Amino acid sequence: MPVGVKNYFRKIERKLLILVSIYTLLGAGVLYMLGLAPSLNVIIIGALITVFTFWALNYYWSLMDYRGDPFLFPLVALFASTSLIFLCRLNPIYAARQFVWLMGGLLVLLTMTRLLTNYWVLAHYKYIYALAGIVGLVLPIFFGVEQGGAKSWLDLGFFSLQTSEFVKILLVLFLASFLTENRLLLTEGTRTVMGVGLPTIREWGPLVIMWGVSLILLIFQKDLGTGLIYFSTFLFIVYASTGRASYVLIGGLMFLTGAGASYSFFHHVRMRVEIWLDPWQHIETYGYQVAQSLFAIAAGGIAGAGIGAGLPRYIPAVHTDFIFAAITEELGLAGGIALIIMYIIFVYRGFVIALQAGDDFSSLLAVGITSLMGLQSFIILAGVTKMLPLTGVTLPFISYGGSSLVANFIILALLLNISHANNTIREERPAPALESELQAV
Amino acid sequence: MRKNIRHLCFALIISFAILGLYMGYINIFMGPALATDPHNRRLAAREAGIHRGTIYDRRGEPLALTEDGERIYPLGEKAAHVIGFVSQRYGRTGLESVYDGYLLAMTGEAGMEELIDRLMGRTRVGNDITVTIDSRLQSLAMELLGDQRGAVAALDPATGAVLALASTPSFDPNILGQPRDAQNNYYETLQGDEDSPLLNRASQGAYPPGSVFKLVAGATALEADGNAANKRIKCRGSIEAGGFQLPDIAVHGEVDFARAMSVSCNSFFATVSMDAGKDAFYRTAQNFGLTKNPWEGSRSEIPYRPGSLSKPEEMDKAMLASSAIGQGEVLVNPLQMALITAAVANSGEIMRPYLLESVHGPSGEPLFRTAPGSWLTAMKPRSAAVIRDAMVKTVREGTGTNAAIPGTTVAGKTGSAQNPHGDAHAWFVAFAPAENPRIAVAVIVENGGTGGRAAAPIAREIIREELKSPVRP
């Protein structure tokens, strides 16, 4: 990449944004022609503002010579547009609210890319993350309200906040900072038992505690999907930093034990598994959701029924967890796979950023948030297609929901900032003091 | 650490790729079944926007058609089990449910056509299907069964085409489609009826076969011992098997294979089966498809309850002897007996039974035609010929004389199956003409007494009706 050519990154981004803009405006036009939009003015103005905001961000970044990855933002813009188009098609009220959240998310993105380019400062506060994370998980248990079977929402008056969406970022920040410090100890071990180096409890203790607490809390919140995401992200980061398959293996075993235990103790866990094995047996009750999702996906065929021609009203929770089923019914297998490919590109870019990073903290942070995004997408996509047991989580950037959308924009901002640093480092970035400290450990 | 990150990247991308492949699998392989699943509410939604296709019998008579938005079944209760019904409230059954995909034009990529129809505001028209059922045979079978509980299954032994599947008592599908208050709890009454009118006895019944199972016992002996056709046994009116006395209906004296079949001698078939052994007996029954479902591995065109038979390791000598004469723990359904009979008619080969003949588009263009195929090879042609001759003798001079048709050679076998519910079930299986069979039929009349008296005349009339029509190409 020819570093030094000014705004090279933003130029690529601009070309991609042209495609996204055409897509968004076309979508809005089709919605209007099919009579699915509230009124011409609302939909056209909404689409124009959305597109304009994407361009404004791109323009601002080129002014400040921001060198974040040029592919991530257009991808996210495309996800966000798809989300608005389909939410509008399902229920314009959802699209209107999601539009507001999208603007909020873009503002967060702008702010973070402006003010947090020196993200290394985040490495200092690992125990604060742990504490804040635990508080974020405990609060809903006592003060939370239940939505869709999971008690993980805080009612803040005019909107409700799903704290676990933000806690997952705190989890990654904690793990990235902790492992940056203790990476070598965990990899090599300080004691040797039968020729295998083992780390002491001081090194792995905090990890296990953090992990255990989050899982137990999630079981109490009945939010299995989020628990699964936390846990798999945890394993991903540990593997990235230590490269020890044995940790993943032990972790996997612990997970299976926990899963087995919760299978026998918790009815809602047992139900999920039974539905997964045979949804038809419980079709009138618990299996209804996933069966409807499969019906919708199958109804799409290869090319889809066409927007507005599907029957998404038969799918429960279609605007949140099951939005992918509605999209596949109307855009077909082709549209569904196109979305999957875009998530693959996002994940791929994320890992490339992690590989290019100049220090362990940046690298682990990039791995962590990319894994978070990728795993969450995979878990919900595999759930609605019955490839894995269904656990209700949102599809990043597409499902309806403000907490999830804003949290995902924070992830995007962090990734872009790491990428910006990677692309700046060779010529002008002064080596941060912290990094040399970290390397010394 | 870079290596680890690459591993993770690889793992995640592979997972997504598998997900993509799996979605293709759902779409292409599970798609048709999901689209016509009775629980799929898209069916009802689609129903509202489409003129459902017609179901024709093999003569071109409609068996189910839509007029002014109402589904009409011209044969009423005479074909109710096999055709089924479509009801918002009580679901979808029979061929109506299995072939929803065709009748509602949901299969294939009709996307463009459909879009044009939608834009033009035209009502879509579903495809028509032609089934192998012959409405005349079907009606006749139902009339002959009348008020008796029972079933008739008839098929073409050369192709496996199912010509009639009658089951009594029945129900009227025309009522089930009506508005709910006009139905007067009809469906609930049917469900509560202890004679189970909703059960398709012809393919879901589980009956002891009695002496009609001697076809299988005979095949066991013939396959195990090339000389069994010439074997002679002295029948003393009962026989000892594993410490039990197995009674016979009469003292038949010295009998050979054909004579034993025609007088239905228990002693002969029990003896030859015990000579061949339980493993040979079980194997032969399996070769006839006794515990198999001919629709195994695909969506069953009709609900089919495969027969049951004790495994050889659970079978002692007494059980083998009584199984050979169709008592003991053997259970079959009437369609299965017709398939076993068809094996004799078709030189030992059983064609896979089928009900869908062809599918035509709204303007008559052919879309699909079933190609008959072989299902099982039950026995050697030589064995089949010996059994056929014995069955011809049975109708000419034995227990099955009531099935004789002047000018036609009918091959048949009677059965009177003892059961715990009262009089014996009357069985009759037959095929004709013996030299070039066009139809194989199995009849059961529950608690009807002897097969020769209660069931044989029904089989005779069905065969007579079928042979009236000219030979099909």
Side-chain angles (χ1 to χ4, degrees):
Chain A
M1 205 166 274
V3 177
V5 178
K6 205 172 178 195
N7 289 339
Y8 181 77
F9 303 99
R10 303 282 76 79
K11 260 188 197 162
I12 300 176
E13 190 172 79
R14 207 149 37 227
K15 283 181 189 158
L16 293 171
L17 279 178
I18 294 175
L19 297 178
V20 176
S21 307
I22 295 172
Y23 172 83
T24 309
L25 295 173
L26 258 179
V30 170
L31 283 179
Y32 173 71
M33 284 192 289
L34 287 169
L36 291 167
S39 80
L40 182 62
N41 292 345
V42 170
I43 185 111
I44 293 297
I45 292 174
L48 284 175
I49 294 178
T50 308
V51 169
F52 174 79
T53 317
F54 295 156
W55 283 92
L57 220 64
N58 171 272
Y59 182 69
Y60 180 74
W61 282 340
S62 44
L63 278 187
M64 61 184 254
D65 193 20
Y66 186 68
R67 299 186 179 187
D69 185 279
F71 300 101
L72 289 177
F73 182 61
L75 274 174
V76 166
L78 199 118
F79 290 143
S81 295
T82 307
S83 168
L84 287 179
I85 291 167
F86 272 89
L87 289 174
C88 179
R89 179 253 174 281
L90 293 171
N91 184 348
I93 304 281
Y94 292 142
R97 288 197 207 137
Q98 185 80 350
F99 175 79
V100 175
W101 284 116
L102 176 62
M103 292 301 133
L106 289 168
L107 188 67
V108 168
L109 177 64
L110 176 73
T111 315
M112 284 181 68
T113 53
R114 179 85 188 98
L115 301 178
L116 201 65
T117 44
N118 184 20
Y119 57 87
W120 293 272
V121 297
L122 296 172
H124 289 301
Y125 309 111
K126 54 180 179 291
Y127 292 108
I128 294 183
Y129 304 138
L131 196 67
I134 290 170
V135 170
L137 288 177
V138 170
L139 275 181
I141 292 180
F142 295 105
F143 307 105
V145 285
E146 202 166 307
Q147 284 189 18
K151 197 174 179 186
S152 54
W153 299 78
L154 275 185
D155 192 355
L156 297 181
F158 74 104
F159 71 94
S160 46
L161 182 77
Q162 195 176 16
T163 48
S164 59
E165 289 285 347
F166 298 97
V167 174
K168 65 188 184 186
I169 301 173
L170 293 176
L171 175 81
V172 171
L173 282 170
F174 168 77
L175 290 171
S177 2
F178 185 85
L179 288 168
T180 309
E181 265 180 35
N182 298 294
R183 185 165 102 77
L184 287 176
L185 289 174
L186 285 169
T187 314
E188 310 293 336
T190 44
R191 299 173 296 140
T192 320
V193 174
M194 296 197 297
V196 182
L198 285 182
T200 62
I201 191 156
R202 238 194 95 240
E203 285 117 33
W204 56 261
L207 280 183
V208 175
I209 290 169
M210 175 74 194
W211 161 79
V213 167
S214 55
L215 282 198
I216 288 168
L217 290 174
L218 288 168
I219 286 174
F220 283 112
Q221 288 186 2
K222 295 191 187 175
D223 192 346
L224 301 170
T226 309
L228 187 59
I229 292 169
Y230 283 19
F231 185 72
S232 44
T233 305
F234 168 79
L235 287 185
F236 265 54
I237 303 186
V238 168
Y239 181 78
S241 85
T242 65
R244 291 181 71 163
S246 59
Y247 289 166
V248 179
L249 218 68
I250 293 168
L253 284 177
M254 282 165 76
F255 175 75
L256 284 181
T257 317
S262 46
Y263 179 85
S264 34
F265 290 131
F266 299 104
H267 179 251
H268 64 280
V269 179
R270 199 156 46 236
M271 226 46 240
R272 299 261 164 157
V273 175
E274 278 187 26
I275 293 162
W276 177 56
L277 293 174
D278 185 9
W280 316 108
Q281 194 190 336
H282 304 282
I283 180 112
E284 307 290 348
T285 51
Y286 306 98
Y288 186 78
Q289 267 195 324
V290 81
Q292 296 306 319
S293 168
L294 285 176
F295 289 152
I297 292 169
I302 306 290
I307 195 157
L311 294 163
R313 64 174 184 278
Y314 294 150
I315 315 167
V318 65
H319 59 292
T320 56
D321 303 354
F322 281 92
I323 195 160
F324 184 70
I327 295 177
T328 318
E329 177 170 14
E330 302 200 338
L331 299 187
L333 181 63
I337 291 197
L339 270 186
I340 292 178
I341 291 174
M342 288 196 290
Y343 280 106
I344 291 181
I345 299 175
F346 190 103
V347 165
Y348 175 74
R349 292 308 301 173
F351 281 114
V352 166
I353 291 170
L355 285 172
Q356 287 172 347
D359 59 278
D360 284 0
F361 175 69
S362 307
S363 204
L364 284 179
L365 185 58
V367 166
I369 53 186
T370 305
S371 307
L372 197 57
M373 252 285 303
L375 289 167
Q376 175 158 352
S377 314
F378 178 75
I379 285 167
I380 184 62
L381 292 177
V384 300
T385 52
K386 203 180 83 72
M387 190 170 145
L388 293 178
L390 176 71
T391 50
V393 292
T394 54
L395 182 59
F397 296 111
I398 297 188
S399 287
Y400 172 74
S403 305
S404 159
L405 190 64
V406 172
N408 285 318
F409 270 108
I410 294 175
I411 287 174
L412 175 67
L414 286 172
L415 264 183
L416 285 175
N417 281 348
I418 298 169
S419 163
H420 171 71
N422 296 344
N423 296 329
T424 320
I425 189 166
R426 283 169 200 87
E427 37 177 343
E428 50 201 293
R429 198 189 73 182
L434 179 72
E435 194 192 359
S436 45
E437 268 171 45
L438 293 175
Q439 297 292 351
V441 172
Chain B
M1 195 156 96
R2 300 172 63 84
K3 195 181 70 191
N4 309 341
I5 295 175
R6 284 205 191 87
H7 289 167
L8 293 174
C9 181
F10 191 65
L12 210 47
I13 289 177
I14 289 287
S15 308
F16 274 110
I18 292 172
L19 178 70
L21 287 178
Y22 173 72
M23 277 187 60
Y25 170 78
I26 295 184
N27 240 292
I28 292 154
F29 293 99
M30 289 165 69
L34 285 170
T36 58
D37 189 290
H39 296 288
N40 193 339
R41 292 167 66 197
R42 279 169 185 74
L43 284 174
R46 200 170 170 92
E47 203 98 57
I50 197 167
H51 183 92
R52 190 179 175 85
T54 304
I55 302 180
Y56 293 103
D57 86 335
R58 68 164 171 161
R59 296 168 183 275
E61 302 288 330
L63 296 172
L65 70 161
T66 299
E67 260 175 29
D68 305 325
E70 217 179 307
R71 196 70 172 161
I72 298 166
Y73 302 95
L75 290 192
E77 59 176 43
K78 285 181 183 154
H81 294 103
V82 57
I83 302 302
F85 57 83
V86 177
S87 155
Q88 290 273 22
R89 193 172 171 76
Y90 305 115
R92 326 165 77 82
T93 67
L95 294 172
E96 286 269 47
S97 172
V98 177
Y99 293 117
D100 256 330
Y102 289 126
L103 295 167
L104 297 175
M106 292 166 70
T107 42
E109 291 290 318
M112 208 55 213
E113 264 174 62
E114 198 174 329
L115 183 68
I116 293 168
D117 284 339
R118 222 171 67 197
L119 291 175
M120 308 277 287
R122 281 193 299 231
T123 309
R124 300 259 306 141
V125 180
N127 299 316
D128 297 333
I129 67 172
T130 300
V131 297
T132 56
I133 295 291
D134 184 313
S135 57
R136 278 201 249 168
L137 295 183
Q138 179 75 26
S139 300
L140 180 66
M142 290 297 282
E143 281 157 22
L144 292 168
L145 286 171
D147 294 336
Q148 311 170 90
R149 277 172 288 114
V152 174
L155 47 84
D156 180 344
T159 62
V162 177
L163 304 175
L165 276 182
S167 172
T168 51
S170 184
F171 58 93
D172 189 349
N174 290 307
I175 299 177
L176 291 172
Q178 285 170 10
R180 193 164 170 236
D181 40 331
Q183 291 193 19
N184 212 355
N185 285 333
Y186 183 60
Y187 190 76
E188 288 74 10
T189 314
L190 291 173
Q191 277 185 313
D193 192 328
E194 58 181 28
D195 281 343
S196 318
L198 291 168
L199 179 78
N200 187 356
R201 290 173 154 74
S203 61
Q204 286 176 290
Y207 298 107
S211 295
V212 290
F213 209 64
K214 284 171 185 163
L215 303 187
V216 175
T220 305
L222 293 168
E223 293 286 287
D225 174 6
N227 205 32
N230 305 319
K231 214 171 204 169
R232 288 174 168 274
I233 275 173
K234 202 162 177 74
C235 167
R236 302 171 201 281
S238 79
I239 184 175
E240 192 258 79
F244 288 89
Q245 285 295 315
L246 192 72
D248 223 319
I249 14 173
V251 181
H252 297 117
E254 190 171 275
V255 292
D256 64 0
F257 189 93
R259 167 90 184 143
M261 184 74 86
S262 79
V263 298
S264 202
C265 174
N266 289 345
S267 305
F268 181 87
F269 286 99
T271 306
V272 294
S273 297
M274 287 190 288
D275 289 350
K278 56 187 183 180
D279 291 311
F281 178 72
Y282 186 80
R283 196 168 55 241
T284 308
Q286 291 296 337
N287 290 344
F288 274 89
L290 192 75
T291 59
K292 297 184 185 124
N293 184 336
W295 284 276
E296 192 79 67
S298 60
R299 188 163 177 196
S300 199
E301 292 184 284
I302 44 167
Y304 188 91
R305 183 203 180 278
S308 40
L309 174 67
S310 305
K311 293 212 161 54
E313 53 270 24
E314 296 157 8
M315 206 187 281
D316 58 17
K317 220 162 186 191
M319 177 76 84
L320 171 60
S322 58
S323 297
I325 60 161
Q327 297 291 159
E329 286 175 7
V330 194
L331 294 173
V332 297
N333 71 57
L335 176 58
Q336 193 160 37
M337 268 330 296
L339 288 165
I340 289 172
T341 310
V344 180
N346 200 37
S347 307
E349 186 181 21
I350 308 181
M351 301 301 282
R352 192 177 290 277
Y354 67 95
L355 283 140
L356 179 71
E357 185 75 54
S358 59
V359 183
H360 291 271
S363 41
E365 71 277 17
L367 297 177
F368 173 82
R369 176 169 284 279
T370 301
S374 179
W375 178 37
L376 295 167
T377 303
M379 57 186 156
K380 294 191 210 71
R382 207 165 64 109
S383 310
V386 172
I387 299 175
R388 180 194 63 206
D389 293 345
M391 287 171 74
V392 169
K393 191 181 172 82
T394 306
V395 174
R396 192 177 295 142
E397 60 194 50
T399 53
T401 48
N402 272 340
I405 302 172
T408 304
T409 334
V410 177
K413 178 73 196 87
T414 53
S416 312
Q418 309 298 324
N419 65 84
H421 308 293
D423 284 349
H425 293 327
W427 273 102
F428 195 73
V429 298
F431 62 91
E435 51 283 355
N436 180 24
R438 287 176 55 190
I439 181 170
V441 58
V443 177
I444 182 167
V445 178
E446 288 182 22
N447 309 117
T450 63
R453 211 186 61 236
I458 298 178
R460 179 188 68 215
E461 290 313 308
I462 289 167
I463 291 171
R464 206 204 294 271
E465 178 67 31
E466 168 62 16
L467 298 186
K468 262 193 218 162
S469 55
V471 180
R472 277 166 294 120

